[in-house]
Amino acid sequence: MTSTHPKNPRVLIIMLVSSILVLILTCVSIAISYFNTIQSVRLSIANQSMKAASTVADSLDVDAYQEFLRNPVKGTPAYKRIEQQLNQAREQLGLLYLYTIQISEDRQSGRAMIVARPPNAKQTFDIGMPIVLSSKHIQMIYEGSSTYYSDIIRDPNYGVYLSAGAPLRDREGRIIGIIGVDTDVAIVEDIGDDVVRSSIPVFAIQGLFVVVLIFLVLCMERWYQRAIKAAVDETEETYQDELRSVICSMRSIRHDFVNHMQVLYGLIECGYYPKARDYVQSLLKETKLLDLTVRFANPALMVLLHTKWEQAKSKQIVMQFEECSDPIDSIPSVDLIKILSNLIDNAIEAADLADGEKRVSISFCCDEEHVIFRVENTGPEITPEQRARIFENGYTTKTKTEKKCGSRGTGLTIVDAVVHKYKGKIEVWSERGITRFTVWLPVK
């Protein structure tokens, strides 16, 4: 009994590697989904913030703001006017902070002038308080860009927010400041958590897919092993049959050799030298016929033909060969044996039933496209009705008595299956007491 223990490590390795791959792919998938979602939400909020900044910059009372800049102190009518407009816009647009920015003369920094903040905000803002503003964003404003936005900022005092801005222009179109907008983006963190949670079912589905895949792989492996075992068993059975035939032939040859030597010795002892010479000549003629079977380049073919020659000889059937020097390497030996052994067996059985000449002729030839086998025999003809069914499994042209001898009508079915396997063709011709099977197999 074959042990199954060696397979266990392979299965465990497959499962382990598959699980690791699924884990890695799932983590990568979740990371990509998380990053893409965060980026999409950030861009959406940034666009809304820049649009809000532009809207406030277009609607702000620039005359009042310029008056404030000439006297930047709290409590003045101009200050209150601008502060009121900013608070109304902040509430309408749902912003965290909305403020005006004054740019330094070197255009490298900015200061917050008037700030609209949430009612619950604990921070106080003085006029002219320095703020974090990138010089790159300032240059964008002065170089003609209508808006800008920053990356997500995480500040322990002001929270998680995104800044955006738009230029504030006077009535002549000169830039007199920037409208700054801070938008709360803590929702982005919540969306990221939702992405991770929503990826859990994906992980479960991928895990189930791997389990199914492993099951299918194991089933295919088992099926493949069974198919290989069946092919090996069939091949082994074929070669064992031929090997047994060869052994029987060797025993027969040894027996015949002893008999021939005894006859020759007796003829020589009795002084019948002419008869001894004639006997040797007949043996040489038979040896030449036998020698044809060992002049084929394919070893399996040579053994098969030698075996069949011995069978034909035992039934007083003349077997003729057309020599072939091509080893026919393009076709596996097991398939060659399947085709020729069944065709030759049928030919020998048919020739044995012939009333006159008992003969089987076997020829091979090869060209650039095909390997061609011809097996011809004398004996009963195959009728057109029989020709239409001879390749059916279980069908036979033999009589009931012959069927009882062991034939079950499977030989030609095997031949037909091998021919179709190579996309070849087989032709049957049977007239005037001669039957010929011709097989064409494409050269791979």
Side-chain angles (χ1 to χ4, degrees), residues 276-287:
R277 183 177 63 252
D278 293 340
Y279 192 80
V280 171
Q281 288 178 348
S282 64
L283 288 178
L284 289 175
K285 183 178 179 181
E286 185 173 315
T287 302

Side-chain angles (χ1 to χ4, degrees), residues 237-264:
E237 182 179 356
T238 300
Y239 276 103
Q240 285 182 351
D241 290 342
E242 297 305 326
L243 182 59
R244 282 192 289 268
S245 298
V246 171
I247 292 174
C248 291
S249 297
M250 292 176 63
R251 289 174 179 172
S252 176
I253 292 172
R254 179 181 177 278
H255 181 268
D256 290 344
F257 176 78
V258 173
N259 290 336
H260 292 321
M261 291 300 101
Q262 289 176 347
V263 171
L264 280 174

Side-chain angles (χ1 to χ4, degrees), residues 209-222:
F209 173 76
V210 169
V211 172
V212 173
L213 183 62
I214 292 174
F215 175 76
L216 291 177
V217 169
L218 294 178
C219 290
M220 290 181 64
E221 181 188 14
R222 190 169 183 180

Side-chain angles (χ1 to χ4, degrees), residues 396-420:
T396 178
T397 60
K398 298 177 177 65
T399 63
K400 293 183 179 180
T401 303
E402 292 167 334
K403 289 180 185 178
K404 293 178 181 179
C405 296
S407 176
R408 294 176 295 175
T410 59
L412 291 179
T413 303
I414 295 173
V415 173
D416 188 57
V418 177
V419 171
H420 278 79

Side-chain angles (χ1 to χ4, degrees), residues 176-431:
I176 58 175
I178 297 176
I179 296 297
V181 171
D182 290 348
T183 305
D184 186 8
V185 292
I187 187 175
V188 175
E189 304 291 337
D190 297 334
I191 291 175
D193 294 338
D194 291 340
V195 170
V196 174
R197 284 193 295 269
S198 64
S199 299
I200 293 177
V202 176
F203 177 79
I205 292 173
Q206 290 179 341
L208 180 61
F209 173 76
V210 169
V211 172
V212 173
L213 183 62
I214 292 174
F215 175 76
L216 291 177
V217 169
L218 294 178
C219 290
M220 290 181 64
E221 181 188 14
R222 190 169 183 180
W223 170 82
Y224 181 74
Q225 288 178 346
R226 287 181 176 177
I228 291 296
K229 185 177 183 299
V232 170
D233 290 345
E234 184 179 2
T235 304
E236 184 178 356
E237 182 179 356
T238 300
Y239 276 103
Q240 285 182 351
D241 290 342
E242 297 305 326
L243 182 59
R244 282 192 289 268
S245 298
V246 171
I247 292 174
C248 291
S249 297
M250 292 176 63
R251 289 174 179 172
S252 176
I253 292 172
R254 179 181 177 278
H255 181 268
D256 290 344
F257 176 78
V258 173
N259 290 336
H260 292 321
M261 291 300 101
Q262 289 176 347
V263 171
L264 280 174
Y265 179 78
L267 291 173
I268 293 172
E269 280 290 319
C270 295
Y272 299 119
Y273 300 115
K275 291 185 178 182
R277 183 177 63 252
D278 293 340
Y279 192 80
V280 171
Q281 288 178 348
S282 64
L283 288 178
L284 289 175
K285 183 178 179 181
E286 185 173 315
T287 302
K288 288 180 180 179
L289 290 175
L290 178 61
D291 185 53
L292 285 174
T293 66
V294 298
R295 282 188 278 173
F296 289 88
N298 189 296
L301 197 58
M302 180 268 293
V303 172
L304 172 70
L305 296 178
H306 178 79
T307 302
K308 300 307 178 186
W309 184 86
E310 287 289 340
Q311 292 178 5
K313 177 188 172 185
S314 66
K315 296 183 178 184
Q316 305 298 316
I317 298 173
V318 176
M319 182 170 286
Q320 300 172 340
F321 302 99
E322 182 178 328
E323 200 171 345
C324 178
S325 59
D326 195 305
I328 317 180
D329 293 332
S330 59
I331 303 173
S333 296
V334 63
D335 290 332
L336 282 176
I337 297 300
K338 287 180 181 178
I339 293 174
L340 290 173
S341 62
N342 285 290
L343 290 180
I344 296 174
D345 284 342
N346 287 349
I348 291 174
E349 291 176 3
D352 192 33
L353 300 175
D355 294 332
E357 179 188 17
K358 299 179 183 293
R359 175 180 56 83
V360 174
S361 299
I362 304 168
S363 64
F364 310 86
C365 61
C366 302
D367 56 28
E368 295 180 357
E369 297 182 355
H370 296 90
V371 177
I372 304 171
F373 308 102
R374 289 189 179 89
V375 178
E376 181 182 293
N377 63 269
T378 57
E381 298 174 9
I382 302 176
T383 65
E385 293 78 11
Q386 292 173 330
R387 265 179 266 172
R389 298 189 58 192
I390 56 175
F391 295 108
E392 295 179 8
N393 189 22
Y395 180 80
T396 178
T397 60
K398 298 177 177 65
T399 63
K400 293 183 179 180
T401 303
E402 292 167 334
K403 289 180 185 178
K404 293 178 181 179
C405 296
S407 176
R408 294 176 295 175
T410 59
L412 291 179
T413 303
I414 295 173
V415 173
D416 188 57
V418 177
V419 171
H420 278 79
K421 172 183 174 182
Y422 290 92
K423 296 181 174 56
K425 66 176 182 177
I426 183 169
E427 181 182 277
V428 183
W429 180 89
S430 185
E431 294 180 8

